[in-house]
Amino acid sequence: MTSLLRGVFAAAPGRALLALALTAAVGLTEGVTLLLLIPLLQLAGVAIEGSLGSIAVRVGATFKAVGVTPTLASVLVVYLVVSVIQASLIRARSMADTVAVQRYTFALRERLYSAIARAKWLVVSRIRSSDFTYALTTAIDQVDNGANNVLFLIGTLVVALVYAAVALRVSSSMTAIVLGTSILLLFVERARTLLGRSRGKEVATSTAALFSTASEHLGGLKISKSYGHEERHLSLFIEITRKVNAARIALTRAFASLRWQTSIGSALALSVILYLAVGVFHLPTAAILLLLFIFSRLVPRIVTLQQTFQEILSVTPALDTIEDLTIECERAPEKTSATQNPVEIEKAIELQNVSFSYTGSSPQLHEVSLELPAGKTSAIVGASGAGKTTIADVLLGLIPPDSGSVTVDGTKLDESHLVSWREQIGYVAQDTFLFNDTVRFNLDWAAPGASEEEMQAALASAAADFVSRLPNGIDTVIGERGMRLSGGERQRLGLARALLRHPRVLILDEATSSLDSENEDRIFDAIQRLHGEMTIVIITHRLATIRNADVIHVLDGGLITDSGTWEALTDKEASRLRDLGRAQGLTPPYARRTIDPAQ
């Protein structure tokens, strides 16, 4: 609870203080309305005796001080005025609470997303995207509810203290008994209150699992249907849904049991109060009426305090989830220096003895050294798992080498060059990410402010003439992740987006794997026309696309085994490229050499 309150004050100190001031003012007006009951009782003919007498005298003196005679009409008018003021204060406090909490949840979202966006790619890639989605949406909504409950708890506590203060003035002995009973009731139910936290943790864990399952199952629905596994798919989803429902039912049961016990305890306490007031303390009628009114308002607030506290405990696991993810990402920021040094390629990009391995795995790259000449087309080829995409990530600066370096014209790329370097790169991945928006939006996202002519030119260069045949052309919405397009169309649109940036370096990471031969040829004809204008790096296992490359680097098991032109490498008798080409029908099936026993 204290972490929620600290968070609200840190995010919106002015609004939080205003909310507390308004809460105090509401408590003050609540006390005034209570005191106004005394002259009303007098005017109703109820005798005011004992401790109430001195209160009645002070209230009467206050009326006279402002020039008002205590009549039924005047007292009721004052009561209505105070009630209007109180209602206005409550409304203002509600707005102050809401603004303070919304600024807090906004700060939580901003901090978490900033931490994700600025973290090292290796850290982000290890965490399920559904965990981030859950934290940024449902978990923060739960924290929003918890923060509101904290402020509500404070307001309820202030009003309860006002009632308790007036009750103490009327009968200290009676009030002490009631408060003692309430404290005992709270202590007895402490275990059930703390149960709310554990139940809340179960809800948070199972809901996060539901987010993950839903994301994975929706992403795999097509393959599930193609295998005829819809029912198996459904049963797995229903199982995790059942766990979420069970956790939430258990949480509701804990709340309901607490309310049941507290309500019974409250009824018992009121009965005891009335019995003691009449049968033991023989309090005057006016005191009994006022105490009954006070305790009928005080005891439910004590019940509310208990329930609200349990609800706050139930959402703290969601806050823990947000904090854990935020801290994990913040502990591994991608290093970029405040001062960025420009870097431009004029001669070559070089990898010098670059080695890299993912945590707990064998090396993906082992002392890789290669040169990518400026203005030339270089290809990196190899079978799946050879380490090709890892080289792309190293070139992009997404993963730092464990050893070795990446240099541009002899300048070692480090955190002082990352921003400048990435601004010069056009990158097209095998799995093209597209927004659920128009083609125009997806292009503009890569190059804000690009003109219509520039967009059309980029689409033409990427052989993306299909865009003109879409229902609304460039303004057609293409669906989530571009699902309304074919795989080849998505890749062509991804290439157009990269070309729209007018990059100095174009990196194609299996960027034509979903294209048919005709469109693949069209794209590489366009790429050939870019020869000399930019440095092109083609990373692929499909050799037909790289026969015209200026230099080909063959990667096998994280090692560069060969480098050269297509002709030079395929003419070599012992060549990994020739073996790969033979498997793809691109090089002749040379006869195996035999050894003459006579030699």
Side-chain angles (χ1 to χ4, degrees), residues 327-345:
I327 291 171
E328 184 173 359
C329 291
E330 286 180 340
R331 282 176 176 169
E334 186 176 60
K335 294 181 180 179
T336 55
S337 62
T339 303
Q340 285 291 308
N341 299 317
V343 57
E344 294 185 5
I345 176 172

Side-chain angles (χ1 to χ4, degrees), residues 158-175:
V158 168
V159 174
L161 290 174
V162 169
Y163 281 123
V166 176
L168 280 169
R169 187 68 180 83
V170 175
S171 175
S172 57
S173 55
M174 282 288 298
T175 305

Side-chain angles (χ1 to χ4, degrees), residues 171-204:
S171 175
S172 57
S173 55
M174 282 288 298
T175 305
I177 292 173
V178 173
L179 293 179
T181 304
S182 300
I183 293 171
L184 179 62
L185 186 63
L186 293 176
F187 181 79
V188 169
E189 295 175 348
R190 179 175 178 273
R192 190 170 294 277
T193 301
L194 295 177
L195 181 63
R197 177 177 173 83
S198 61
R199 296 301 187 207
K201 187 173 183 179
E202 292 173 9
V203 169

